[in-house]
Amino acid sequence: MKLKDKKIEVLAVTHTKDPDGYSIETLTPIAPPMWAYFRQLSGKEVYAAMSVQATEEVQFVINWRGDITTAHVIRYKGVLYDITRVDTFEGYKQDLTLYCKKRGR
């Protein structure tokens, strides 16, 4: 069993326009902060992800939720991560594994 002892925020991305017509990105929490298991992916896992053109760097495991997609962003310790893959583990509704990469790369 993985210890979910880290607090993360799941954020929805919305785009609006300022008065000059420029796009402004806003990140809005979709739920209160939640407990998660966090770990950096190993070199072997990163290499395997690269073989299918993915750039996954970290993994978060949270309690199951049906409303989280790759369109959301994770904030952990002030760092933003894009969700690259959501793994429901064979459809069981216990845990949800989120594979992510650091935002801005």
Side-chain angles (χ1 to χ4, degrees):
M1 177 169 217
K2 296 175 179 168
L3 181 62
K4 296 173 186 156
D5 62 347
K6 309 291 190 270
K7 283 279 192 171
I8 66 168
E9 288 182 281
V10 179
L11 310 166
V13 180
T14 54
H15 293 276
T16 57
K17 294 200 183 273
D18 68 6
D20 296 324
Y22 294 103
S23 180
I24 299 173
E25 182 180 83
T26 307
L27 299 174
T28 309
I30 65 165
M34 57 187 76
W35 292 104
Y37 167 78
F38 166 81
R39 77 177 178 92
Q40 299 279 340
L41 295 179
S42 70
K44 182 178 179 182
E45 291 167 313
V46 170
Y47 182 74
M50 287 175 20
S51 70
V52 292
Q53 308 303 316
T55 55
E56 298 164 349
E57 300 171 353
V58 299
Q59 176 189 67
F60 296 97
V61 179
I62 61 173
N63 290 338
W64 190 88
R65 292 181 59 106
D67 60 345
I68 296 178
T69 68
T70 55
H72 292 104
V73 174
I74 302 288
R75 182 173 19 225
Y76 172 63
K77 291 189 174 181
V79 178
L80 296 175
Y81 295 91
D82 287 320
I83 300 173
T84 57
R85 183 167 49 119
V86 178
D87 184 0
T88 59
F89 187 69
E90 299 176 357
Y92 295 112
K93 294 182 178 180
Q94 290 180 328
D95 287 337
L96 194 64
T97 303
L98 308 172
Y99 294 91
C100 304
K101 68 176 180 172
K102 193 179 283 187
R103 201 151 211 238
R105 284 191 191 176

